[in-house]
Amino acid sequence: MQERMCNGQDIFQRVELLVGEDALRIFGNQRVIVFGVGGVGSWCVESLVRSGIGHLTIVDSDCVCPSNINRQLMATTTTIGQPKVEVMKKRLLEINPALEITAIQDVYAQETSHEYDFNRYDYIIDAIDSIKDKELLILQACKSKAKLYSSMGAALKMNPQMIQVAEFWKVKGCPLARALRTRFKKGERPARKFKCVFSEERLKNHDKTSRTDANGTLMHATAIFGLTLAGLVIQDILEKHELHQSD
C-alpha cells in the first residue's frame, strides 16, 4: 500500500471513511493515463490523486500561458512558460509524495501513437481538443482493455446544471460530439461503447464565437467536466469490485 502518513496523520483518512480500506487499497493499485491537462484534465488528475489513485501518467505538449490562468489548475503568474505536465507533476507529488507519476510533454497523434501501450492501463481519460487526435485516441483506446472516458466540448458552457454523462452515441447538443460521429460514420468506428461528459447548453453567442480560433471558457464549467471524469473512474472501480452499494 502506498505511503499515507504526513506529520503523523493519514492523508487519505476521509477517503477510507467513505469507501473503506479495501477500496482505498485498490485505488492505489490503479493505473490511469490522462491526455490533456488543461481546463478539464488538470482538475481530473488532481481529483484522482486526492482520491488515492496511485499510478498516473499525464500527457500534454503545451506550456502554461497567460490565457490558461482563468481555468487551468497549474496555471498561475509564476508558472507561465513552464511545461504543464511538469508543473502538474510537482503539485501532485506535493499532495502525495508516494504517487507513481509519469509526465510526458507530447502530442498524441498518428506519429506518436505507437509509443503508447494502452493495455498497461486500467483507465484512459481523453481531455484533448484536437478533433483529429481525439478521433485517433478514441479509436485506439477502444481497442485496448482499458476503460475510456472522454470529455466533449467544455468551452462556451456556463450552466453547471446542464453538464451530464452519456454514452457517446447518445450525446445530444454538443458540436464536438456531432463532428466526431460524422467522422466515425465515414471511416472506422470505435470498437466499443464509452461514456462522455458533455453539455447541451447553447449560448446566444455560440454560433458567432465558435468560429474563432479560441472560445470563451469559465473555470467552474471546465472543472466540473474534469471532476466528473474523475468521479466516473472512482465509481467504476467501486462498482467493478462490488465495494460500494448505493442505498
Side-chain angles (χ1 to χ4, degrees):
M1 178 175 292
Q2 58 182 313
E3 179 60 48
R4 292 165 44 181
M5 304 302 292
C6 179
N7 296 328
Q9 295 187 344
D10 186 347
I11 64 174
F12 295 121
Q13 178 188 27
R14 296 300 181 94
V15 179
E16 184 175 340
L17 285 172
L18 181 64
V19 302
E21 182 179 355
D22 289 344
L24 185 56
R25 174 179 51 78
I26 293 172
F27 289 175
N29 292 329
Q30 298 300 296
R31 296 183 177 274
V32 183
I33 184 168
V34 180
F35 289 90
V37 290
V40 172
S42 61
W43 300 96
C44 176
V45 297
E46 172 113 349
S47 182
L48 290 171
V49 171
R50 289 186 184 273
S51 297
I53 295 298
H55 305 271
L56 184 67
T57 298
I58 54 177
V59 185
D60 196 304
S61 64
D62 291 342
C63 293
V64 177
C65 67
S67 65
N68 300 149
I69 292 175
N70 83 309
R71 69 196 182 283
Q72 299 188 17
L73 186 62
M74 84 300 291
T76 69
T77 56
T78 63
T79 60
I80 291 172
Q82 299 179 39
K84 291 180 182 179
V85 291
E86 293 301 332
V87 180
M88 201 74 223
K89 178 180 179 179
K90 179 181 178 182
R91 177 182 173 86
L92 295 174
L93 286 172
E94 289 175 350
I95 295 169
N96 179 13
L99 174 69
E100 182 184 283
I101 181 169
T102 301
I104 303 174
Q105 190 178 6
D106 192 16
V107 175
Y108 184 84
Q110 191 68 53
E111 299 76 20
T112 60
S113 60
H114 67 278
E115 300 173 8
Y116 298 90
D117 179 7
F118 289 155
N119 287 315
R120 295 180 55 239
Y121 301 95
D122 299 292
Y123 295 92
I124 301 166
I125 302 296
D126 159 38
I128 59 178
D129 299 322
S130 165
I131 190 168
K132 180 180 179 182
D133 298 337
K134 198 177 195 74
E135 176 188 15
L136 177 64
L137 175 59
I138 290 171
L139 289 173
Q140 296 305 312
C142 287
K143 294 176 183 176
S144 74
K145 71 175 184 65
K147 191 153 191 175
L148 169 70
Y149 293 114
S150 179
S151 172
M152 296 294 105
L156 300 171
K157 310 298 181 185
M158 293 182 65
N159 186 345
Q161 294 176 300
M162 294 188 71
I163 298 170
Q164 54 192 302
V165 176
E167 192 276 318
F168 171 71
W169 294 99
K170 295 181 180 179
V171 171
K172 301 180 294 182
C174 176
L176 177 57
R178 183 167 58 248
L180 281 168
R181 285 197 293 265
T182 298
R183 295 172 73 97
F184 289 142
K185 289 175 181 177
K186 292 180 179 179
E188 182 181 357
R189 296 196 180 202
R192 66 169 186 261
K193 295 180 179 180
F194 60 96
K195 289 183 179 179
C196 302
V197 181
F198 74 102
S199 171
E200 321 182 43
E201 182 179 15
R202 193 174 186 87
L203 300 176
K204 292 181 179 180
N205 64 346
H206 182 279
D207 292 332
K208 179 180 178 180
T209 57
S210 63
R211 289 195 295 267
T212 64
D213 291 334
N215 290 317
T217 51
L218 283 171
M219 193 207 85
H220 73 265
T222 64
I224 292 172
F225 270 69
L227 296 174
T228 302
L229 287 167
L232 288 170
V233 171
I234 296 303
Q235 191 63 34
D236 187 72
I237 295 170
L238 294 173
E239 292 175 356
K240 183 186 300 180
H241 295 276
E242 298 181 348
L243 293 165
H244 177 74
Q245 297 292 329
S246 300
D247 294 333

